[in-house]
Amino acid sequence: MEIVNHAESRVFTPDTLDQNNEVIQEAKLRPQNFDEYIGQKKIVENIEIMAKSATIRNQAMDHALLSGPPGLGKTSLAMLISKILGTQLHMISGPAIEKKGDIAAILTNLSPKDVLFIDEIHRMDVSCEEILYSAMEDYRLDILIGQGPAARTMQIDIVPFTLLGATTRSGLLSNPLRDRFMAHLHFDFYDNMELSTIVENNAKKLGVKLAGDAKVQIAKCARGTPRIANRILRRVRDYALVKNRSEIDVGDVISSLQLMEIDETGLDRMDRKILQVIQEYYGGGPVGIEALCATLSEDRGTIEDVYEPYLLKEGYLLRTSRGRTISEKAKKHLGLTY
Ligand SMILES: Nc1ncnc2c1ncn2[C@@H]1O[C@H](COP(=O)(O)OP(=O)(O)OP(=O)(O)O)[C@@H](O)[C@H]1O
Ligand SMILES: [Mg+2]
């Protein structure tokens, strides 16, 4: 499998370098085949059937929409799909596609049956999205040339391809675009067993020895998210290295979690701050999302995509028509923590 990254010119600042380092580290731990891809059984089953059928038909696989909170394995799955299809994987992020020309250039450069992965597809410009409609449905580009009465559409045929769209917010996708995806695959948080297995496999890749309960402790505090499990594992590895441990025990994990300001239920500083702000500034809620984000000085998208899904799933936060409220469970938790 060859990966073509359609990234525009990059400027490196300490921040982006940090992110870049994170990306490199993450790549090392990415599942290399479906045996290493733990959990999400229904999704994997669907994909395997779609890919096999495409191979038998000798056609491109149907388009699929992958949705769910960050770090649950959408990009990893896209890589595995192109691997089993034996095609190139073209990767681009929605916000990077600014002009119709950008998307047209990518689509006309695909080889037959290639996979085009558009990350954060909900953040793509609407005019670019329209180019995708006929491309997805008829493998054709309809391009408007000129303006006013002299305007005419030009049609260009493109090769059959598979579009994989990834989004943390499928609700923000326009209906025409959503309807053109033949499969809608929704990613759920992982359970502790699955996360334990992921931690165990990745500990081997990193060459660290973990006691059984240490593995379980990492899984318990990973917010149902493999990326967070990997992040904790790497920090635990650092800790063990510095403390010269041959095997990491649960005490080492707890010490590392404390350094990362992650508590015993897996909530981090920002999670607790959200709950605390609702309690202290808004009497426990309800509070509108805009007001909440203003008080937290955080971007609405980050709160809604990154923090809320887990807080909602675990019942710390409740969403009502009048805004966000914290639950009894959250109040109890705050009482314990503060
Ligand atoms: N099913 C899985 N089995 C094993 N490891 C996984 C699985 N899913 C994700 N991971 C691990 O978690 C990391 C993050 O996953 P990935 O980048 O695929 O998430 P994502 O859904 O694309 O996130 P984002 O929405 O932020 O782009 C991967 O590098 C991989 O190590
Ligand atoms: Mg991704």
Side-chain angles (χ1 to χ4, degrees), residues 26 29-31 36-38 70-76 119 168 190 198 226-227 230:
E26 196 165 286
L29 300 182
R30 264 195 209 290
E36 287 181 19
Y37 195 88
I38 310 300
L72 297 191
K74 299 182 290 294
T75 304
S76 306
D119 211 353
T168 46
Y190 291 67
I198 294 175
R227 178 180 289 138
N230 288 345

Side-chain angles (χ1 to χ4, degrees), residues 144-207:
L144 191 68
I145 297 173
Q147 281 178 336
R152 60 194 173 85
T153 37
M154 196 171 84
Q155 298 190 333
I156 306 170
D157 285 331
I158 55 169
V159 296
F161 71 105
T162 300
L163 179 65
L164 296 179
T167 177
T168 46
R169 305 275 291 284
S170 64
L172 292 185
L173 230 62
S174 72
N175 284 333
L177 184 58
R178 190 180 308 114
D179 289 348
R180 283 171 172 76
F181 286 103
M182 291 301 137
H184 293 193
L185 307 171
H186 184 76
F187 285 69
D188 269 325
F189 288 110
Y190 291 67
D191 65 31
N192 289 351
M193 279 285 281
E194 292 165 340
L195 287 171
S196 281
T197 311
I198 294 175
V199 170
E200 186 176 345
N201 293 347
N202 290 343
K204 279 189 201 132
K205 286 190 188 174
L206 293 175

